[in-house]
Every structure is written in structure tokens, then in C-alpha cells.
Amino acid sequence: MGSIEIGLWVTAGMLALVVLGMRVAFAAGLAGFVGLVWLRWNGFDYDPARFGKALEISVKVAGQVPHSKVSAHALSLIPTFILIGYLAYYARLTTALFEAAKRWIAWVPGGLAVSTVFATAGFAAVSGASVATAAVFARIAIPEMLKIGYNKQFAAGVVAAGGTLASLIPPSAILVIYAIIVEQDVGALLLAGFIPGAFSAVIYALLIITIAVLFKSVGPPVGGFTWGQRMTALLPALPIVAVVVIIIFFVYNPFGDAWGTPTEGGAVGAFIVFLMALARGLRWAQLKEALIETAKLTVMIFTIIWGVLIYVRFLGFADLPGAFADWITSLEMAPLLILVCILLAYAVLGMFMDAIGMLLLTLPVVYPAVMALNGGEAVSAADSAFGMNGTMCAIWFGILVVKMAEFCLITPPIGLNCFVVAGVRDDLSVQDVFKGVTPFFIADAITIALLVAFPAIVLWLPSQAM
């Protein structure tokens, strides 16, 4: 049996384990280790006397992977970005953001829901975790919407969908993971996420306004705020803006050299938010809770990375990525149509896997295929299939797949944000939240279509930094 056949059998086995309910990290790690042993023993012609040697070699390879990859300096961004979000919550910056958005925007049809979307977008700019964003605003925004008569399912859907914006708007843990897996510049990818993230928020807002206009009972507007009250509400929200500006200048200084690396920007941002939280009366119990929650989420992410990287190492030995790339480029279809089919496959796969695990499992195979489809890593824009050079194609595809990961956070049956919102609110079932997010599938489909049709939405900002 050849290495490609072994790769396909092991991949099928791993997917079967995931469908049966095993966590992605453990399914991928187990499948990768079994695959390594199988490949090595296959190289020994299945000699029973040499099975022990095949096992020994595979244990060494699998044991080296987690440390060599997870010790990468860029990955330290993930816990700092997550910590920023939790500290901002305990510093009551999230409440200030929501209040400012409410006073300025709530007068439009569906105004409180629109305010929630823009408040989650603002919080996403200092938090790298969609789950944390959804959990925070489930506590803040849903009671406010229910108080003035919003449908509880719709209110829950707004929060769950708004929480997904943290996947795109920097600082984003998923963008960092993508950059490390495909070996692209973290700073350029973080920059690329700003405009598409804001664009997604605007599409969500337009959808909410349309629904509120068509169905008067869904989202009654909230008025009565004076200009003085609106201006007063801006001041407590300014610290969020300050943190965002500092992180942007660390990643990319439009007036000169960058102040530092994205990793340093994340650390400085976390320290500044920590000082803000202290100034606002942060207690030891709250700091402890923020650190524990950050550690829990970080460990979950890193565990997925460890397990999947063992599987990825096996894929490299089996040469499955190369075989898939050759097959993709041999198809007699338009490259753009193939790309759309790949994105649709992500939509289906995301119904059964969490976003981070899905990207980690698929990117080692799909990314080389997309790059080959465009003409290769070193292709110029003039000779490419998508009208962009290799670096820009990597950034554009990264934003597209992360947007698909956002979509997967709210799709049944395992949309993680929906479970988080239901877990925070005792009066909501998971089914209620899934019903509430259904209209946002349309908004996400429109956003993805526009990002595919107009790559400049993604590429303009990073192109200015290069």
C-alpha cells in the first residue's frame, strides 16, 4: 500500500472518530500517531520484528512536534489577546462600549441590536476570542433587548453572531494560528482583518435594520438621548480606542517604522488594559478569574494545536498535501469556481467541527492547493489566476477561511457561540439561539461573496504596509 492510500485511510479514520464524538485534538493526535507508525512499518515491509523500531521512531517524531511548534514566539500572542478581552470585561469597558453604542445608534429600527453588533465589534478590537465576546455580551446586551420587548431568540442570535466578529477583527487568535500554519507574516494578516471585520459588522447591521423595518415588533427603536448624554457616553469608551491605536502602531505605524512586533503589541496592550482595570477598581478575585479563564481557553487552543500538528506531520510524510494540490490543479474548472467549492466544503465541515480544529486540520492540505491554483508561492500578479501575487493570495485566502470559521461558530449542530450564549442565559435553550442566528447566515453569505468578488476589500490595507 502506498503512502497516499495510507494517508486517505488514516484521514477517514480520524473523521470517523470526530463524528463519533471524540475531541478534535485527541482524534487528530491519535490518527497522526497511528499514521506515523503505519507509514514507518510499511517502509519495513510489515516485518513483525521491526514493528518495535517503527513504534520507537514514531514516538520520537510525535513527541518532538508539540514543543517545536508550540514554543514558537508568535503563539504567545494568543494568551495575551485573550487576556486583554477578559481584563476589559472586568474593567467594565464592555459596558461602557455598549452604553455609548446604545446612545448613538439605538434610535434606528432595530437600534439596540445594531448597537450590540457595533459594541461587539469594538470589543473584538481588544479581544482575540469569539467565545469570550459572546459570553460577555450575553450578560450585557440580551437583558437590555428583552427589557424593551425584543424577541428572545432574535436577541440571542444577535449576540452569538456579533461575537464571531472577534475572529476577524484584530487581535484575532485564529488569524495568528493561520499565519503560523501557512508561515505568513502575522502583522500583515492582522492588518488585513480590520476592513473585512468592520465590513461584516456593517452587513450585520443592515440585515438587522431590514428585519426591523419589515417586522415592526422585532426591534423597536430607542430614543430620548440628548446630545450631551451621547457625548458623555463617549469618554468611558475611549480607553478601548486607545488600546486599539497602540496595537495598530505596534503592528504597522503609518507615519514611520513600526514600534515593535505584534507579540510585543499584544503584551503592551494587555498591560495597559490591566492598568485600566486597576484604576477602575479591579479586585483580586476578578483578576484571578480573568487569569483562570484565559488559561482555560489558551490550554484548549494549544491542546488542539498539539494534537493536530502530529496529524499534520503525518500528512507531510504521506505527501497528501502535494497529491491534493496536483489533483486540484488538474481539474478542468475555472480556478475561482474551485475556490468557491472549497469554501462551500468549509461551510459543511464547520457543521461538525470547531473552527480552530477545522482550520488546523485542513490548511496543510488545502492551502498548498489554493496557492498552486493561483500559480504558486512566487507567482506575480500578472501571471496569477486570481490577479494577485503569492503573498497577497495567502492573505486573501486567510481572511476568506477565517470568515468561514466565523460562519461555523453559529452553524448547527456544534456552533460554539450558540452554546456559550445558551450557557450564560438560563432562559434560553441552544435551539432558541440557533433559531435566532438563522438570518445571519444570509449576511455571512453576502459578505463572503463580496470578499471573493472584490479582493481589494481585504488587500488594500496590508498592501499599504508592504
Side-chain angles (χ1 to χ4, degrees):
M1 185 179 290
S3 61
I4 299 298
E5 288 80 3
I6 293 174
L8 292 173
W9 276 109
V10 170
T11 299
M14 181 203 65
L15 292 175
L17 291 174
V18 172
V19 170
L20 289 172
M22 183 179 284
R23 298 285 185 182
V24 170
F26 306 120
L30 177 60
F33 178 70
V34 169
L36 288 170
V37 175
W38 191 353
L39 275 179
R40 179 55 57 186
W41 200 28
N42 180 65
F44 293 151
D45 295 324
Y46 300 107
D47 182 357
R50 305 195 70 181
F51 177 78
K53 185 64 176 177
L55 185 64
E56 178 186 348
I57 294 171
S58 301
V59 168
K60 289 180 179 179
V61 172
Q64 291 169 355
V65 169
H67 177 265
S68 63
K69 294 294 184 180
V70 177
S71 60
H73 185 56
L75 273 179
S76 60
L77 272 172
I78 293 175
T80 57
F81 284 173
I82 295 171
L83 181 60
I84 287 174
Y86 280 110
L87 287 174
Y89 169 67
Y90 286 112
R92 298 185 299 280
L93 296 179
T94 50
T95 305
L97 262 180
F98 181 70
E99 187 62 31
K102 182 174 74 173
R103 294 188 184 186
W104 281 87
I105 305 171
W107 58 271
V108 304
L112 209 52
V114 175
S115 303
T116 300
V117 167
F118 284 116
T120 56
F123 183 63
V126 293
S127 171
S130 294
V131 172
T133 304
V136 165
F137 281 90
R139 295 184 178 96
I140 297 172
I142 291 179
E144 292 282 340
M145 285 188 274
L146 295 181
K147 191 184 299 182
I148 64 167
Y150 270 72
N151 175 279
K152 71 175 183 178
Q153 295 175 349
F154 183 68
V158 168
V159 171
T164 67
L165 296 173
S167 295
L168 264 186
I169 299 175
S172 165
I174 295 183
L175 276 175
V176 173
I177 292 170
Y178 173 86
I180 291 169
I181 292 294
V182 305
E183 298 180 348
Q184 292 294 325
D185 181 62
V186 175
L189 275 157
L190 291 176
L191 277 178
F194 270 108
I195 294 178
F199 187 71
S200 294
V202 170
I203 297 293
Y204 280 170
L206 292 175
L207 173 72
I208 292 167
I209 292 171
T210 302
I211 292 173
V213 169
L214 294 176
F215 305 97
K216 302 294 185 183
S217 61
V218 168
V222 177
F225 295 111
T226 66
W227 283 104
Q229 289 174 322
R230 289 172 179 168
M231 298 304 295
T232 302
L234 288 178
L235 188 61
L238 285 180
I240 291 281
V241 179
V243 174
V244 172
V245 169
I246 289 169
I247 292 176
I248 290 175
F249 271 77
F250 264 89
V251 175
Y252 163 61
N253 182 0
F255 306 110
D257 294 333
W259 293 356
T261 66
T263 303
E264 293 166 342
V268 171
F271 181 67
I272 291 173
V273 176
F274 172 64
L275 294 180
M276 291 177 182
L278 286 179
R280 288 169 173 257
L282 179 72
R283 305 290 184 185
W284 164 245
Q286 295 172 321
L287 175 60
K288 180 181 176 182
E289 187 68 20
L291 293 173
I292 289 174
E293 291 300 320
T294 299
K296 285 180 180 178
L297 197 50
T298 302
V299 168
M300 182 191 77
I301 293 173
F302 275 45
T303 301
I304 295 172
I305 294 173
W306 289 337
V308 171
L309 285 179
I310 295 172
Y311 170 72
V312 168
R313 180 61 60 91
F314 156 71
L315 287 181
F317 284 125
D319 197 30
L320 206 57
F324 184 72
D326 291 341
W327 176 70
I328 285 290
T329 53
S330 70
L331 295 174
E332 295 182 359
M333 296 169 61
L336 194 58
L337 181 58
I338 295 174
L339 177 66
V340 171
C341 291
I342 290 173
L343 295 178
L344 290 174
Y346 270 114
V348 174
L349 191 60
M351 294 179 182
F352 308 100
M353 299 179 66
D354 65 273
I356 293 175
M358 180 184 71
L359 293 189
L360 284 168
L361 285 175
T362 58
L363 283 175
V365 175
V366 174
Y367 173 77
V370 171
M371 296 305 291
L373 202 60
N374 188 50
E377 297 272 358
V379 71
S380 65
D383 298 326
S384 66
F386 298 132
M388 60 193 78
N389 62 36
T391 301
M392 287 300 177
C393 182
I395 293 173
W396 178 56
F397 180 65
I399 297 301
L400 291 178
V401 295
V402 169
K403 182 60 188 177
M404 292 307 301
E406 280 190 2
F407 183 67
C408 298
L409 286 168
I410 56 174
T411 52
I414 61 167
L416 191 56
N417 275 22
C418 297
F419 280 92
V420 168
V421 171
V424 170
R425 300 285 306 182
D426 293 334
D427 56 335
L428 287 167
S429 68
V430 176
Q431 289 77 13
D432 287 333
V433 187
F434 278 129
K435 289 177 182 177
V437 297
T438 302
F440 294 93
F441 297 162
I442 300 170
D444 280 336
I446 292 171
T447 302
I448 293 164
L450 291 173
L451 294 181
V452 171
F454 304 102
I457 299 173
V458 174
L459 300 178
W460 180 80
L461 195 55
S463 69
Q464 303 304 303
M466 294 182 175

